[in-house]
Amino acid sequence: MTIDEFNFSGKKAIVRVDFNVPLDENGNVTDDTRIRGALPTLKKILADGGAVIMMSHMGKPKGKVNPKLSLQQIVGKVSERLGVDVKFAPDCGNAEKEAAALQPGEALLLENLRFYPEEEGKPVGVEKGTPEFDEAKKAMKESQKKFAQKLASYADVYVNDAFGTAHRRHASTAVIADYFEQDAKMLGYLMEKEVTAIDNVMKNAQHPFTAIIGGSKVSSKLGVIKNLLDKVDNLIIGGGMGYTFIKAQGGSIGDSLHEDDLMPEALNVIEEAKKKGVNLSLSVATVCGREFSNDTARSVFPIFSIPEGWEGMDASEESVAAWKEIIMSSKTILWNGPVGVFEFENFAHGTGEIAKTVAKATQENGAYSLIGGGDSVAAINKFGLADKVSYVSTGGGAMLEAIEGKVLPGVAAIKGE
């Protein structure tokens, strides 16, 4: 059942949203992107004549009540965006009264789900690896089911529109779906868009297909890189993780970031790419800094011969030029992770050029481009290019796991996979 086909008239829908938004020290929302992302789903339910119950986590309270992470702080902002006065239930695990009183066209926000350890399903205050922990884990599984059942009892329909947590099997993202019939649970509009975007890249990609993988560590992206080797024509590896590949091949990388224990894996990736006919493109020269700061002395060195006392901080013009050619000849582009220390203005050039080129390939050549991961999304937004690419993913971790080929529990729970 899709959300478009469903008529919410006279029904109460409990919607898992991702309202984990940044707040300033006075509890004001500093970026409401995630709230705006949920509006199409919430407004469809209300327009049909349904009532909506929103549930979300905020931060990591680890199963304890923490006023600084209370969702009460965002009620005003959600009301303003949704156009109705949102009611608030101060205890998400005991909100029967508030849910029962809800009339068609009304909206209710539940308090932070993670104030209950049952949401994440992790035992609290027990040492991992002890017999007590195993016992506590078993008990927690049971109480997690009860907690999910309680949440389910507030409503007639369940909608999951929180892609950012779709890779977690939490009470509100997956377990709750067991307590609804197949035709009374569905993905929200945002989730549908995310799943379609990932399918466009992972299942229905047009070739040439290029993946640009950056960021600081190979360890966090190894599964992704391995899965992509079976799918892409070009794999561009940039950012800090590139230096592990250079050192593995005998290069001198000075003081650049790298992971010695992953050098054998890096060599395997190079070997596999050769076998599979994937064009693996590493940086050829790098802009280095004397120290890790914006105003440090800068110099460009060939990637295989960075002197001691210098560390790689950004992709050089030469590297970027080679990558631009690859990107401009692509029909499908996946970008995750910056190619330099993007947060320093003086070392953000390479990442900015990648952002502009991906947008150009999309606009001028009709390429399909999917951008995900906090820093790549920040880069696209910084240069005002979000509407010039095909899709910007809202969930970095969930997107990475999907690209790694893992099944997302939040999606599987609805689709019954």
Side-chain angles (χ1 to χ4, degrees), residues 165-397:
T165 54
H167 57 314
R168 303 273 178 252
R169 189 173 163 76
H170 290 169
S172 69
T173 62
V175 184
I176 185 172
D178 294 344
Y179 302 99
F180 289 91
E181 293 297 321
Q182 195 56 52
D183 59 358
K185 53 185 166 188
M186 63 209 72
L187 300 177
Y189 287 123
L190 187 64
M191 279 280 272
E192 276 186 353
K193 275 171 33 186
E194 292 277 357
V195 172
T196 305
I198 286 166
D199 281 352
N200 281 344
V201 166
M202 300 308 288
K203 293 181 182 163
N204 318 317
Q206 280 193 294
H207 293 270
F209 175 8
T210 297
I212 307 152
I213 305 294
S216 52
K217 291 185 167 169
V218 182
S219 47
S220 59
K221 309 262 174 95
L222 188 63
V224 168
I225 290 169
K226 285 181 165 173
N227 196 36
L228 286 171
L229 285 175
D230 286 324
K231 310 214 167 15
V232 300
D233 304 290
N234 306 296
L235 179 60
I236 294 171
I237 293 184
M241 66 165 67
Y243 302 107
T244 300
F245 284 81
I246 300 303
K247 189 175 177 187
Q249 297 175 79
S252 304
I253 59 166
D255 301 344
S256 304
L257 187 74
H258 62 286
E259 295 169 286
D260 281 339
D261 54 332
L262 280 155
M263 293 200 304
E265 286 286 8
L267 289 173
N268 281 343
V269 168
I270 293 169
E271 195 50 43
E272 279 298 298
K274 266 198 198 113
K275 263 192 219 157
K276 292 179 170 161
V278 174
N279 169 31
L280 176 63
S281 181
L282 294 162
S283 186
V284 284
T286 186
V287 181
C288 296
R290 272 284 184 200
E291 55 190 46
F292 194 75
S293 75
N294 186 47
D295 303 319
T296 187
R298 286 185 293 174
S299 190
V300 178
F301 296 104
I303 195 88
F304 277 89
S305 40
I306 301 171
E308 289 304 315
W310 290 88
E311 61 177 302
M313 305 264 283
D314 195 9
S316 67
E317 285 294 349
E318 206 185 335
S319 301
V320 170
W323 293 343
K324 279 181 173 174
E325 258 184 54
I326 295 170
I327 294 166
M328 287 308 290
S329 69
S330 304
K331 280 291 174 216
T332 302
I333 304 161
L334 167 69
W335 179 26
N336 176 275
V339 298
V341 186
F342 163 71
E343 55 273 30
F344 294 156
E345 200 52 50
N346 289 335
F347 297 98
H349 179 73
T351 301
E353 287 301 296
I354 296 285
K356 289 172 193 162
T357 310
V358 171
K360 194 175 173 191
T362 311
Q363 294 297 313
E364 294 179 12
N365 299 348
Y368 184 88
S369 51
L370 170 59
I371 320 292
D375 291 327
S376 316
V377 173
I380 282 285
N381 289 334
K382 179 181 174 175
F383 297 104
L385 299 169
D387 57 347
K388 302 275 189 287
V389 295
S390 307
Y391 196 75
V392 179
S393 175
T394 57

Side-chain angles (χ1 to χ4, degrees), residues 3-22:
I3 184 165
D4 253 347
E5 296 162 353
F6 196 87
N7 183 358
F8 291 91
S9 175
K11 301 243 189 278
K12 284 177 186 157
I14 189 159
V15 186
R16 177 52 159 106
V17 286
D18 182 1
F19 285 173
N20 184 23
V21 293

Side-chain angles (χ1 to χ4, degrees), residues 27-105:
N28 299 312
V29 178
T30 55
D31 179 352
D32 68 354
T33 307
R34 287 180 166 168
I35 294 171
R36 284 180 299 148
L39 293 177
T41 292
L42 302 173
K43 285 183 166 170
K44 148 82 172 153
I45 296 164
L46 296 175
D48 278 0
V52 71
I53 301 166
M54 297 165 275
M55 55 176 174
S56 177
H57 73 285
M58 181 178 275
K60 295 182 174 173
K62 306 231 161 110
K64 295 186 178 69
V65 173
N66 175 350
K68 282 191 177 148
L69 296 173
S70 171
L71 288 178
Q72 184 147 22
Q73 301 171 95
I74 70 168
V75 169
K77 180 55 82 177
V78 178
S79 300
E80 178 196 320
R81 287 290 181 211
L82 195 53
V84 298
D85 277 335
V86 174
K87 300 171 193 310
F88 184 70
D91 178 352
C92 65
N94 289 293
E96 299 91 333
K97 275 197 188 114
E98 292 92 340
L102 214 53
Q103 297 301 311

